Amino acid sequence: MAIADILLKAGVFIAAMMNIAALLVTYDKIKNFKGEKAKELHGRYIQVKQLSENLEANYSEILIILSGITRADLSIDEIRWFITEPRAFLKLEKYGKVSGRYCNIDLDKGEFVLKEIVSTRKKRIVERSKILGISFCLLAFISAVWLFTVKDVQSITTVYIALSFWTAYFLVLLWGANLLLTTLSNAKKMVGTL
């Protein structure tokens, strides 16, 4: 009995040490990844800054370089703003994710601003409610379709397949709603900050 207890405690200790080692390795890899990403961003900034000396002539080449950072369609004035405004280039990737629907750049004020549909707290609550409402309605519709599909089926295999597809749809809807809600929250965080 004593040997079994010793082996159990040794197993728990070894498992804990392996988990700690795995966490340390993961932390180190994330830290290195952030450093590499910062170096890549700096390299692209240098390229864009050199090309921006003649922005109109090099506009298409600058857009190609920036396409690796952002999905936003930037105008010449916006590119000039991202290059000249301190710390703005660091926000370029996040701006690409939130621009268009929720956030824009006010070049006169030199800051990010929310669009009219989410400009106040009440409008943001309404937008979040729309996202959640549409997601819930889609889930209810898909559930009803799958319920009618499997209601008269005699095969348990078909029921399991239908339940698997329903779960996949549920996860996709959950992911989409989370993406939109996160985008709205990120847009709110970007406003007025650099």
Side-chain angles (χ1 to χ4, degrees):
M1 186 81 114
I3 294 175
D5 288 339
I6 292 172
L7 289 175
L8 181 65
K9 289 179 182 178
V12 169
F13 177 75
I14 291 171
M17 295 309 287
M18 289 178 64
N19 284 330
I20 290 171
L23 286 173
L24 290 174
V25 168
T26 304
Y27 175 76
D28 188 50
K29 287 195 183 275
I30 290 172
K31 191 172 143 183
N32 288 339
F33 176 73
K34 285 183 177 180
E36 292 299 319
K37 193 171 180 179
K39 287 178 186 176
E40 179 186 345
L41 185 66
H42 182 263
R44 289 183 190 239
Y45 174 76
I46 295 297
Q47 288 176 330
V48 170
K49 190 164 182 160
Q50 289 171 350
L51 291 172
S52 69
E53 293 172 1
N54 191 355
L55 198 57
E56 287 76 16
N58 297 324
Y59 180 61
S60 59
E61 190 173 349
I62 290 172
L63 286 179
I64 291 170
I65 293 170
L66 293 179
S67 69
I69 300 172
T70 184
R71 294 180 293 182
D73 293 325
L74 300 173
S75 67
I76 291 176
D77 292 333
E78 289 173 334
I79 292 172
R80 187 175 291 119
W81 182 78
F82 273 108
I83 293 169
T84 58
E85 190 70 30
R87 295 183 304 276
F89 203 82
L90 297 172
K91 305 266 183 171
L92 186 57
E93 183 178 3
K94 189 179 274 188
Y95 176 72
K97 293 176 182 175
V98 301
S99 68
R101 182 158 176 83
Y102 297 128
C103 187
N104 278 333
I105 301 170
D106 186 351
L107 295 173
D108 297 331
K109 291 181 182 178
E111 63 185 11
F112 298 104
V113 294
L114 291 174
K115 284 197 156 186
E116 184 61 33
I117 63 168
V118 291
S119 61
T120 64
R121 181 181 169 99
K122 184 178 178 181
K123 291 180 180 180
R124 286 190 297 278
I125 290 172
V126 168
E127 184 71 16
R128 285 186 177 100
S129 300
K130 284 182 198 175
I131 293 168
L132 294 174
I134 290 172
S135 298
F136 179 74
C137 288
L138 282 172
L139 181 63
F141 175 73
I142 290 170
S143 298
V145 167
W146 284 113
L147 180 65
F148 288 128
T149 302
V150 299
K151 185 174 81 168
D152 295 325
V153 173
Q154 302 300 323
S155 170
I156 193 71
T157 306
T158 306
V159 173
Y160 286 141
I161 291 171
L163 188 59
S164 299
F165 277 110
W166 180 87
T167 304
Y169 286 132
F170 174 73
L171 291 174
V172 167
L173 283 172
L174 194 64
W175 173 80
N178 182 46
L179 178 70
L180 289 172
L181 293 172
T182 303
T183 301
L184 180 57
S185 296
N186 286 339
K188 173 65 176 113
K189 288 177 188 173
M190 283 185 67
V191 171
T193 62
L194 280 183

